[in-house]
Amino acid sequence: MKKIVVLTGAGISAESGIRTFRGSDGLWEEHRIEDIATFEAWQRNPGLVLDFYNQRRKQLFEVKPNAAHLALVELEKNFDVHIITQNVDDLHERAGSGQVLHLHGELKKVRSTVDDNLIHTLDGWELKLGDLCARGSQLRPHIVWFGEAVPMIEPAAALASEADIFIVIGTSLNVYPAAGLIHFAKPGIPVYLIDPQAEMPARISNLSVLREAAGTGVPRLVKQLMH
Ligand code: OAD
């Protein structure tokens, strides 16, 4: 079975009602990254950081996977599909995708501040100051903040290097190391980019760009690949 590796970003969840980060309506237009998404921000004002992620988590219970998430599940009938997502939502899993690797963490999970391996799934949406791990330390969102290591990048790069087809959906390719994954793909394999504002990444030889929303572009590409 041919292996398809799919790299997704915030754009695939936009039509489910989850805001992207950059662009005029992006979350980083309203919040400063250094106030919310760094370890220093957490040390300075954990309440503010918790509130930001609590609001995002709360919204997750109100949204559903869209046609793009669902189309990727369909692909599994004919291909060995691996999704590498920068998203912290769980919409790929809820759509039914079987192999999903989260590069930047998961909103529904929280972890210890003294032991990175102590990870729990939160009941409900709210993580509060005073919620402690088994070792008695404050729990934090299970999110990779700016400046932190990306522990899943190695398995992600290994997957990328094994791809027979590579698909990139709804990411500005602004954040590294995620944005560099495309360069681990074997030279010459078909690469598809689906994003209404796609910019052409350099040095990709067999690239097809679909400048359209994921909700229509992904089902169209899936149909094409299935035939
Ligand atoms: P961005 O907000 O940087 O980019 C979103 C991309 O989605 C843009 O290229 C949009 O053109 C595109 N887009 C918007 N609507 C779309 C639609 N309906 N269909 C398809 N594409 C659409 O989000 P990411 O690239 O995911 O990290 O951001 C990468 C990382 O930066 C995130 O994981 C997050 C953020 O800071 C952390 O918080 C650690």
Side-chain angles (χ1 to χ4, degrees), residues 144-176:
V144 175
W145 286 323
F146 285 87
E148 293 191 312
V150 183
M152 297 308 281
I153 195 67
E154 280 189 25
L159 279 175
S161 70
E162 292 162 2
D164 298 303
I165 298 172
F166 201 103
I167 306 174
V168 180
I169 306 166
T171 171
S172 61
L173 295 171
N174 254 291
V175 175
Y176 284 81

Side-chain angles (χ1 to χ4, degrees), residues 9-11 15 20-22 28 86 104 144 146 170-172 175 195-196 214:
E15 288 156 271
T20 62
F21 293 95
R22 294 168 185 83
W28 297 150
Q86 298 167 86
H104 292 162
V144 175
F146 285 87
T171 171
S172 61
V175 175
D195 188 315

Side-chain angles (χ1 to χ4, degrees), residues 93-106:
E93 287 91 341
R94 277 161 55 194
S97 283
Q99 310 189 89
V100 184
L101 180 156
H102 284 269
L103 270 182
H104 292 162
E106 291 173 71

